[in-house]
């Protein structure tokens, strides 16, 4: 049994020395997580809910709680934090010699392998009622369903995919280039806080994350912003300014290298990995997402045994999957999850 401890509003699972897919060993690996609700007597009511890009567990609680989509009166929800997000092992927490450009990157596969240890060895959970995630959380949910299909009973992917598509990869290259163009980025690492780069990253991200219709109809007003500039500064620039730049870069690398088939189990055979998923699945892209595309999910669902494609009818682009201020999309997602959880 590995040691775990409580820090602030989360717990730490000490995974020890972990050999990553790269062949590097990350020593003293720490996975930050939190649980909500209570496990039942046979530990069959567990849901694993993964974090998205730049997010901490506390940022994705909109659907966790009594009476919500992930109802903590009925389920125990476990939220592990993505490596590189500043709570789990990350560049901002690294010590020499694994600092700066020597950070040993974690793949999605690495993340899920360590999460699996937390779930099975630390928490004693053998069956998951649901694996769910938004965006990068969806990449992890897909990985769970492909790597341990007998363990994942249901799967929900919200604005995510089973791998990073080529266009998605190129979008992220642009975001990465924007951030690293800051003068604070030297010789593969940040020597000071790149405020200009973080602000520029927020503005570049805002164009792809939201749809053309969202901006045409000034839908940002519904979220309480007084002007387009107010929205760009107070929402997008602010979102990235509160995060560590090296952590953001590390997560971009993880995202770009996501593929449920890139491991010893499937040896690059993507369709085989999809066909191995036995979970009762609902795959929910946003109709207007510009980088996690409906068509990519449609092609994935065609290969899956028990999957339903259910696009979110929204003009909120990628952010339809994180509807903290968008009631209609929140209602749509909540109902879909409730329907799935009611099925065997």
């Amino acid at each position: 049994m590995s040691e775990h401890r409580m820090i602030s509003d989360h717990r730490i699972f000490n995974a020890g020395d972990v050999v990553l897919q790269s062949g590097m060993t990350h020593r003293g690996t720490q996975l930050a997580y939190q649980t909500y609700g209570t496990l039942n007597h046979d530990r069959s009511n567990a849901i694993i809910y993964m974090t998205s890009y730049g997010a901490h567990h506390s940022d994705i609680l909109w659907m966790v709680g009594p009476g919500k989509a992930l109802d903590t009166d009925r389920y125990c929800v476990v939220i592990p934090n993505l490596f590189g997000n500043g709570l789990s092992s990350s560049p901002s927490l690294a010590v020499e010699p694994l600092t700066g450009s020597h950070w040993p990157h974690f793949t999605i596969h690495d993340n899920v392998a360590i999460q699996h240890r937390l779930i099975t060895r630390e928490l004693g959970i053998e069956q998951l009622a649901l694996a769910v995630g938004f965006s990068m959380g969806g990449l992890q949910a897909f990985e769970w369903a492909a790597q341990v299909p007998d363990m994942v009973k249901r799967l929900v992917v919200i604005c995510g995919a089973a791998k990073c598509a080529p266009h998605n990869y190129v979008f992220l290259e642009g975001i990465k280039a924007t951030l690293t163009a800051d003068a604070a980025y030297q010789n593969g690492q940040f020597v000071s806080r790149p405020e200009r780069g973080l602000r520029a990253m927020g503005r570049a991200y805002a164009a792809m994350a939201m749809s053309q219709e969202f901006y045409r109809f000034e839908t940002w007003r519904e979220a309480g912003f007084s002007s387009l500039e107010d929205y760009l500064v107070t929402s997008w620039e602010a979102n990235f300014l509160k995060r560590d730049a090296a952590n953001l870069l590390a997560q971009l690398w993880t995202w770009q290298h996501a593929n449920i088939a890139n491991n010893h189990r499937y040896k690059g055979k993507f369709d085989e990995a999809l066909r191995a998923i036995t979970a009762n699945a609902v795959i929910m892209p946003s109709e207007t997402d510009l980088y996690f595309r409906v068509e990519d999910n449609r092609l994935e669902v065609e290969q899956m045994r028990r999957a339903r494609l259910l696009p979110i009818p929204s003009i909120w682009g990628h952010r339809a999957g994180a509807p903290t201020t968008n009631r209609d999309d929140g209602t749509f997602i909540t109902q879909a999850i409730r329907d799935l959880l009611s099925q065997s």
Side-chain angles (χ1 to χ4, degrees):
M1 182 75 69
S2 300
E3 177 190 359
H4 74 276
R5 56 193 172 93
M6 177 73 86
I7 293 183
S8 182
D9 71 334
H10 61 274
R11 299 177 182 273
I12 294 291
F13 170 62
N14 288 316
D17 297 347
V18 177
V19 179
L20 305 176
Q21 280 195 297
S22 65
M24 288 292 292
T25 298
H26 186 275
R27 293 168 173 83
T29 306
Q30 296 193 330
L31 175 61
Y33 73 100
Q34 187 54 289
T35 62
Y36 304 85
T38 305
L39 282 170
N40 57 15
H41 72 282
D42 61 357
R43 297 176 182 263
S44 62
N45 68 332
I47 291 174
I48 189 166
Y49 177 29
M50 276 69 66
T51 56
S52 51
Y53 180 65
H56 295 171
H57 63 280
S58 56
D59 297 317
I60 64 168
L61 295 178
W62 71 270
M63 64 175 174
V64 178
K68 295 186 177 181
L70 307 183
D71 188 351
T72 50
D73 287 338
R74 299 182 58 196
Y75 298 97
C76 177
V77 181
V78 183
I79 306 183
N81 284 267
L82 187 70
F83 287 107
N85 82 343
L87 296 182
S88 294
S89 293
S90 302
S92 63
L93 302 173
V95 295
E96 292 183 337
L98 302 182
T99 51
S101 60
H102 297 286
W103 170 253
H105 288 292
F106 287 70
T107 62
I108 292 293
H109 183 80
D110 291 327
N111 273 269
V112 170
I114 299 168
Q115 292 169 13
H116 183 264
R117 288 175 54 191
L118 164 69
I119 292 294
T120 57
R121 302 183 192 179
E122 194 66 50
L123 302 180
I125 297 167
E126 298 179 356
Q127 184 81 24
L128 291 170
L130 173 67
V132 57
F134 157 69
S135 193
M136 278 191 82
L139 297 174
Q140 295 166 76
F142 250 124
E143 182 78 16
W144 264 97
Q147 290 304 314
V148 284
D150 293 342
M151 188 175 176
V152 180
K153 189 173 184 180
R154 303 175 187 86
L155 169 67
V156 170
V157 174
I158 306 166
C159 301
K163 67 178 179 181
C164 181
H167 178 262
N168 196 333
Y169 186 97
V170 172
F171 155 60
L172 297 175
E173 280 294 292
I175 296 299
K176 183 166 60 178
T178 300
L179 181 58
T180 56
D182 193 292
Y185 188 73
Q186 300 177 20
N187 300 317
Q189 61 186 315
F190 293 98
V191 297
S192 60
R193 182 171 181 263
E195 179 183 344
R196 292 182 65 184
L198 289 166
R199 289 182 182 273
M201 180 180 181
R203 287 178 179 257
Y205 213 108
M208 283 292 286
M210 315 306 289
S211 76
Q212 293 89 344
E213 293 82 1
F214 176 88
Y215 289 109
R216 182 183 305 128
F217 300 125
E218 299 186 348
T219 311
W220 38 263
R221 294 188 185 277
E222 296 178 14
F225 297 97
S226 55
S227 65
L228 179 58
E229 182 67 8
D230 182 49
Y231 172 65
L232 294 175
V233 173
T234 311
S235 179
W236 286 100
E237 289 187 15
N239 281 343
F240 291 111
L241 284 167
K242 68 182 181 182
R243 299 302 185 209
D244 179 89
N247 291 347
L248 291 172
L249 273 189
Q251 291 170 84
L252 285 176
W253 187 97
T254 300
W255 182 345
Q256 287 184 304
H257 291 83
N259 186 329
I260 61 170
N262 283 350
N263 48 69
H264 290 303
R265 182 182 183 117
Y266 296 111
K267 299 179 175 59
K269 298 175 182 177
F270 185 64
D271 287 352
E272 180 180 321
L274 289 169
R275 288 192 293 268
I277 295 172
T278 57
N280 188 0
V282 175
I283 310 301
M284 283 192 284
S286 164
E287 288 184 344
T288 52
D289 196 329
L290 298 176
Y291 49 94
F292 281 108
R293 302 290 292 152
V294 174
E295 179 63 9
D296 291 321
N297 283 159
R298 185 188 67 78
L299 293 171
E300 291 165 351
V301 166
E302 282 185 353
Q303 300 298 320
M304 297 168 70
R305 301 187 192 187
R306 302 174 64 202
R308 177 188 178 199
L309 183 67
L310 185 64
I312 306 167
S314 175
I315 66 169
W316 282 70
H318 186 63
R319 279 285 185 88
T324 54
T325 58
N326 176 7
R327 184 174 299 178
D328 289 345
D329 292 346
T331 300
F332 184 91
I333 294 168
T334 296
Q335 189 59 55
I337 292 176
R338 284 176 177 164
D339 290 346
L340 182 65
L341 286 170
S342 70
Q343 301 171 20
S344 60

